[in-house]
Amino acid sequence: MIRLPFAALLLGLSASALAQMPAHADVVAKIGVLVVERETPLPLSRLDLPPEDEALAGARVGLIDNNTTGRFLKHTYELVEQRTDAAGLPAAMAGLAAEGVGMVVTVADADALLAIADLPEAAEMLVVNATASDDRLRGADCRANVLHVAPSRAMIADGLAQYMVWKRWTDWLLVHGSHPEDALMAEAYRRAARKFGAEIVEERVFEDTGGARRSDSGHVLVQKQIPVFMQRAEEHDIVVVADESQVFGAYLPYRAWDPRPVAGDAGLVASMWHASHESWGATQLQRRFERETKRRMRDSDYLTWLAVRAIGEAVTRTNASDPATIREYLLSDAFEIAGFKGQALSFRPWNNQLRHGVILADGKLVVTVSPQEEFLHQHTRLDTLGFDEPESTCEF
């Protein structure tokens, strides 16, 4: 009997599974990773400063995992990395096409993603969105050639809402920032409250007036400002924070007027990955990533890893690397991939969104993973998160 290396077993392949696959020929799969750079503010804490290889590191580890399996099947995977700004997108995509790249994993915001998807070069490509969470990309602005590994804001909000409702924290004080992204996240929380029977008893907007985000005396000023901003609120069970721009949210825990828990973009944070996550084999992925990168895996690393692995799984099962075949398989009922969250992940064919579990963590430890068991669905509990098929406004 042929004994496969442990790494191959981690990727879900056994000797019997390999034997059941069709005869394989040499296949070369070129996967592009396109990072569209934009100016972002510094995080409030220096502990959250992004590494230089953020997102790219996840794709690189995904490539290693793909090639671990590929060696047994005569499949070779190559990663073609590109960095550009919004103005350089046409040239970057033309360069990827010239190198024979058929699948592109994007690290970009919503506007850049749509610009990529609508370029002539992208018409014959498969574009996999790893970071843009805007719900409109899965709705009115959906594109047939774009698959979403990144979760939508609605999925994040629903995952957090399910746990808060399960805890019977159903009266929410919603505090959101003044930036457009904060407003979109706030709307996702409003929708989640209506969906799961919670009530937003009051909303407050924290205006970003600019100025220094970090200073030696910053905590002294905030300690005086935040209680004043938060006082005289309606009676509430929990403070829900929408602060994607990282202006004020991290200052709310332990500083608000009323002693209440905080969730959202501070306190109990909903995300796709967490460095302390160990369940369902996640420790093995954590260790592989840490061995290769000498740091911990972040959200964007996990999502680019998952995007590259999904493509690799499709190549393995179809013995092909052309974008049309890969897309068809990824959207089929046959596709599923281990995401280390307790349930196999698959794509929703009505809006090309990958189903996800949502990890809720408090900084040091994972508190829970949604969907919560009490929230049922006729097909899969994962479809209780985000827009289900009857709600979808996507028309390809």
Side-chain angles (χ1 to χ4, degrees):
M1 182 179 69
I2 299 175
R3 299 186 63 85
L4 298 181
F6 184 63
L9 298 178
L10 290 178
L11 300 183
L13 293 177
S14 64
S16 60
L18 289 172
Q20 294 171 8
M21 294 179 188
H24 286 70
D26 292 345
V27 172
V28 177
K30 288 190 176 182
I31 304 171
V33 180
L34 180 56
V35 179
V36 184
E37 297 175 330
R38 63 189 181 102
E39 188 173 348
T40 56
L42 286 173
L44 292 176
S45 170
R46 66 183 306 273
L47 298 180
D48 294 327
L49 289 170
E52 291 185 2
D53 62 350
E54 184 177 20
L56 286 173
R60 292 165 184 166
V61 174
L63 182 77
I64 293 171
D65 290 349
N66 282 355
N67 277 318
T68 297
T69 300
R71 286 200 305 270
F72 298 94
L73 305 173
K74 299 180 180 179
H75 294 171
T76 302
Y77 298 86
E78 299 177 10
L79 211 61
V80 182
E81 299 175 6
Q82 283 269 19
R83 285 184 181 268
T84 185
D85 56 16
L89 282 176
M93 285 292 285
L96 290 173
E99 292 198 46
V101 170
M103 289 82 68
V104 179
V105 177
T106 62
V107 181
D109 63 16
D111 290 338
L113 177 64
L114 290 175
I116 292 167
D118 293 340
L119 286 170
E121 291 82 3
E124 303 300 324
M125 288 184 179
L126 175 64
V127 179
V128 184
N129 164 31
T131 54
S133 59
D134 298 56
D135 288 298
R136 65 187 175 100
L137 298 173
R138 291 87 171 158
D141 287 338
C142 64
R143 298 292 189 272
N145 62 335
V146 179
L147 271 61
H148 305 281
V149 167
S152 66
R153 288 188 177 93
M155 293 168 66
I156 291 289
D158 287 356
L160 185 61
Q162 284 190 6
Y163 180 69
M164 292 190 292
V165 169
W166 180 79
K167 289 289 291 181
R168 300 187 180 180
W169 298 336
T170 54
D171 291 340
W172 303 353
L173 170 60
L174 176 60
V175 184
H176 63 85
S178 56
H179 293 271
E181 297 84 356
D182 307 329
L184 291 172
M185 194 67 228
E187 178 54 35
Y189 286 127
R190 295 185 197 105
R191 175 185 171 276
R194 293 190 299 269
K195 181 176 179 179
F196 296 110
E199 181 181 359
I200 297 174
V201 298
E202 185 181 346
E203 290 192 30
R204 296 192 175 186
V205 180
F206 191 99
E207 296 288 344
D208 184 6
T209 58
R213 293 171 60 84
R214 301 208 311 250
S215 65
D216 291 341
S217 60
H219 68 280
V220 178
L221 295 175
V222 170
Q223 188 166 325
K224 295 179 179 179
Q225 292 170 348
I226 290 296
V228 174
F229 172 72
M230 293 292 289
Q231 68 181 338
R232 299 188 183 90
E234 294 290 334
E235 182 61 30
H236 56 282
D237 298 320
I238 190 166
V239 179
V240 179
V241 185
D243 179 35
E244 289 192 15
S245 303
Q246 300 187 59
V247 172
F248 69 96
Y251 291 132
L252 287 181
Y254 311 110
R255 296 183 178 92
W257 188 267
D258 298 306
R260 299 291 185 273
V262 177
D265 285 314
L268 183 64
V269 177
S271 61
M272 292 294 98
W273 196 249
H274 194 270
S276 70
H277 182 45
E278 296 184 291
S279 301
W280 304 297
T283 302
Q284 295 156 352
L285 175 58
Q286 303 272 27
R287 289 174 176 170
R288 289 206 308 279
F289 184 87
E290 290 162 4
R291 183 175 63 248
E292 295 295 332
T293 66
K294 306 299 185 289
R295 65 173 178 83
R296 292 172 179 168
M297 186 175 244
R298 296 163 66 98
D299 244 36
S300 57
D301 297 313
Y302 171 72
L303 292 169
T304 52
W305 171 85
L306 192 57
V308 171
R309 279 293 300 122
I311 293 170
E313 177 69 13
V315 172
T316 296
R317 301 297 176 177
T318 63
N319 193 31
S321 61
D322 62 284
T325 301
I326 298 305
R327 178 185 181 279
E328 181 180 5
Y329 182 79
L330 290 174
L331 292 173
S332 72
D333 292 339
F335 171 76
E336 61 179 31
I337 189 168
F340 303 102
K341 296 179 185 177
Q343 298 182 66
L345 310 183
S346 58
F347 282 96
R348 295 169 178 160
W350 60 86
N351 64 1
N352 291 0
Q353 171 67 57
L354 186 71
R355 298 175 171 96
H356 273 288
V358 176
I359 296 174
L360 309 183
D362 66 352
K364 290 288 187 182
L365 293 172
V366 172
V367 174
T368 186
V369 178
S370 288
Q372 301 297 306
E373 291 183 0
E374 291 73 16
F375 294 87
L376 305 178
H377 190 276
Q378 61 268 39
H379 300 302
T380 168
R381 286 190 296 109
L382 290 173
D383 281 344
T384 63
L385 305 180
F387 286 88
D388 202 358
E389 187 170 11
E391 307 170 280
S392 179
T393 59
C394 174
E395 296 181 5
F396 295 126

